Amino acid sequence: MTSAKILVIDDEKLIRWSLEKGLKQIGYQVETASTAEEGLQKYESFLPEAVILDNKLPGMQGLDLLIELRTRDARLIVLFMTAFGTIETAVEAMKRGAYDYINKPFVFEEIRQLLEKAFYVQRLDTEVQTLKAVVQKQFDTENVVSLSPAMRDILQMVDKIARSEAPTVFLTGAGISAESGIPTFRGPEGYWQVGSRNYQPEELATHAAFEQIPDEIWSWYLYRRAVCVAAEPNAAHHALVALERAVGDRMLIATQNVDGLHLRAGSSLARTYQIHGNIDFMRCADECGAPIGRVPEALAPWPKERRVGDAERKLLVCERCGGRARPHVLWFDETYDEERYRFESSLEAASRAALLVIVGTSGATNLPNMMARLAARSGAAIVALNADPSPFTALAESLPRGHFARGSATDHLPAIAAHLARGPG
Ligand SMILES: [Zn+2]
């Protein structure tokens, strides 16, 4: 187990210096940043487990940066520091997900103890989540699933792969979210109604349609977002969070789902490629270069009949240029790219994977197809978990180290993740 990584964000040089020195002395890896912007950059490159964050920063309040950080990793431990703060600031920080707060001036021992406790609780939590996911499933299925010949073969293979340093890539689709109650995009609940007519998603989930009837397209996406926000991650999502905590860079998720459930469960943005975007986010429709932002909270909840009008239109704008904002999702008439959808990174990950686990997706879209074929060609083991046979399950079954296990995502994924989490040894 490597020592935990801590990022210190404070504009006071003396505090950065003393914390870095003290924390390194007791075995932590430490990086520091003096502004919010630098803090975010360091976050992306260093991927810390904990952040010590000052509220007074040039450019941006620590309270706002706290939200940005927790968006990237819902399980990030944040110790919030404030020198001038009233108790209200501290309470607000806790509400926004800080683990605890410290008043300045502080004694180092206080920080040391808080961090130790936070990491201890987090480790326990991870273990509990993994056990819960596995145990729950064993009860649910009365061991039928874990005893099926297909699963026995899969787990034997996974045990061998768990010793390799090469990563396991999880390619997830609608099937993993079905048990959270999210209807599939193409299913009967996914229909698009504009005026009195119903459309297929392929007709309206396009840039061309957005150009013509942006309010209608936004209305549909806001409804769809409300459905996603109301759903809760399930045991399959939690199992992947526990696995990431255990093996770090030796796992990666590429998801076709735009529901954001992997992130909300606690998977990190750095290791979760949202290859079709995330419905909870929007970006400039003119591509002015402004960063991707969240859809405003004021636009939830959103009943199916509600339509975008003047008031809503004013909220759906780019913060930088004031132009129209669009949902941060990949449309049918658009192409993948690296910057927004991690195209190259996904292909690269598939080509060096030891194991590709395909969960609840049938192979209808382009990038997942390329990933599966690339992994197969590079000699990776492939496991397809799906309710029904599909092109992906056929591909898996055609390979010497390929398997298809029929069932739901929560039937099989927790056990596979738990076996992988044991790691090398
Ligand atoms: Zn813009």
Side-chain angles (χ1 to χ4, degrees):
M1 188 84 189
T2 53
S3 60
K5 296 181 193 173
I6 298 173
L7 174 62
V8 177
I9 309 176
D10 194 316
D11 62 339
E12 289 178 67
K13 196 174 173 188
L14 191 60
I15 298 224
R16 290 199 306 276
W17 177 81
S18 67
L19 280 177
E20 182 174 13
K21 189 162 159 255
L23 292 169
K24 277 185 171 164
Q25 250 164 20
I26 52 175
Y28 289 114
Q29 302 178 61
V30 186
E31 290 270 338
T32 65
S34 59
T35 65
E37 196 180 343
E38 191 193 0
L40 278 176
Q41 279 167 6
K42 286 267 172 84
Y43 173 84
E44 302 286 355
S45 57
F46 183 52
L47 295 177
E49 277 100 20
V51 173
I52 302 177
L53 174 62
D54 188 37
N55 189 38
K56 271 270 195 172
L57 293 171
M60 190 193 239
Q61 287 268 322
L63 278 175
D64 295 329
L65 181 55
L66 174 59
I67 290 182
E68 292 284 321
L69 289 168
R70 300 262 312 169
T71 302
R72 287 163 171 77
D73 179 0
R75 291 176 41 121
L76 183 69
I77 295 165
V78 180
L79 295 187
F80 199 78
M81 288 193 292
T82 173
F84 317 95
T86 57
I87 187 75
E88 283 80 13
T89 312
V91 169
E92 188 54 36
M94 303 290 281
K95 264 196 217 156
R96 294 182 186 196
Y99 172 78
D100 212 332
Y101 68 94
I102 312 147
N103 288 315
K104 282 179 170 176
F106 53 83
V107 279
F108 181 73
E109 181 56 19
E110 200 182 349
I111 300 229
R112 190 190 68 77
Q113 285 183 12
L114 276 175
L115 283 172
E116 202 171 283
K117 195 171 118 215
F119 283 124
Y120 176 71
V121 170
Q122 192 176 63
R123 261 199 309 278
L124 275 186
D125 184 46
T126 301
E127 281 163 24
V128 170
Q129 297 272 18
T130 316
L131 287 174
K132 241 168 61 183
V134 173
V135 171
Q136 184 189 336
K137 226 37 231 182
Q138 278 171 353
F139 277 120
D140 285 359
T141 56
E142 294 182 332
N143 292 325
V144 173
V145 166
S146 52
L147 290 176
S148 82
M151 259 318 263
R152 208 167 45 221
D153 291 350
I154 288 172
L155 293 179
Q156 264 176 18
M157 183 179 81
V158 164
D159 283 339
K160 284 183 203 143
I161 289 168
R163 295 189 204 116
S164 109
E165 280 300 315
T168 295
V169 175
F170 293 86
L171 178 58
T172 69
I176 198 172
S177 296
E179 287 165 280
S180 292
I182 296 187
T184 62
F185 195 62
R186 292 163 201 271
E189 276 300 300
Y191 73 86
W192 294 56
Q193 193 172 21
V194 173
S196 58
R197 220 198 110 179
N198 285 342
Y199 293 81
Q200 294 296 314
E202 290 86 345
E203 294 178 86
L204 289 187
T206 63
H207 189 256
F210 182 75
E211 291 281 292
Q212 280 177 14
I213 45 169
D215 291 350
E216 290 295 345
I217 302 299
W218 257 123
S219 301
W220 190 87
Y221 274 98
L222 289 167
Y223 163 65
R224 183 86 185 167
R225 170 180 177 256
V227 172
C228 295
V229 169
E232 291 294 333
N234 62 48
H237 297 104
H238 288 306
L240 293 182
V241 176
L243 178 62
E244 181 180 358
R245 292 286 153 177
V247 306
D249 281 336
R250 291 194 295 115
M251 74 88 75
L252 189 95
I253 301 166
T255 185
Q256 292 172 253
N257 299 335
V258 299
D259 54 43
L261 285 179
H262 284 299
L263 295 189
R264 280 180 44 216
S267 291
S268 76
L269 182 61
R271 298 193 190 100
T272 307
Y273 298 167
Q274 302 177 105
I275 61 174
H276 294 163
N278 184 330
I279 202 163
D280 210 14
F281 289 76
M282 61 185 202
R283 63 174 202 257
C284 181
D286 297 329
E287 309 290 352
C288 76
I292 294 164
R294 265 185 190 276
V295 173
E297 266 318 304
L299 298 176
W302 195 277
K304 204 164 192 168
E305 320 72 53
R306 188 171 164 191
R307 285 290 170 269
V308 165
D310 286 344
E312 290 84 6
R313 214 173 289 123
K314 279 186 194 128
L315 293 172
L316 296 168
V317 291
C318 168
E319 272 189 26
R320 182 176 291 177
C321 73
R324 197 192 292 281
R326 57 165 280 174
H328 174 51
V329 295
L330 180 70
W331 279 325
F332 285 97
D333 55 352
E334 294 178 319
T335 51
Y336 291 103
D337 63 28
E338 172 64 16
E339 193 194 341
R340 299 181 193 94
Y341 306 111
R342 311 302 300 265
F343 179 66
E344 276 89 2
S345 296
S346 300
L347 292 178
E348 194 264 335
S351 70
R352 66 188 169 87
L355 168 66
L356 177 69
V357 183
I358 304 171
V359 190
T361 172
S362 61
T365 51
N366 190 5
L367 176 55
N369 238 309
M370 291 166 80
M371 288 177 69
R373 273 159 218 294
L374 209 51
R377 235 188 6 241
S378 320
I382 295 190
V383 171
L385 308 175
N386 211 44
D388 300 300
S390 75
F392 279 155
T393 66
L395 172 72
E397 289 190 307
S398 73
L399 299 169
R401 292 198 306 147
H403 295 275
F404 164 38
R406 195 170 191 151
S408 75
T410 64
D411 281 340
H412 300 114
L413 201 55
I416 292 175
H419 278 247
L420 282 168
R422 293 177 191 166

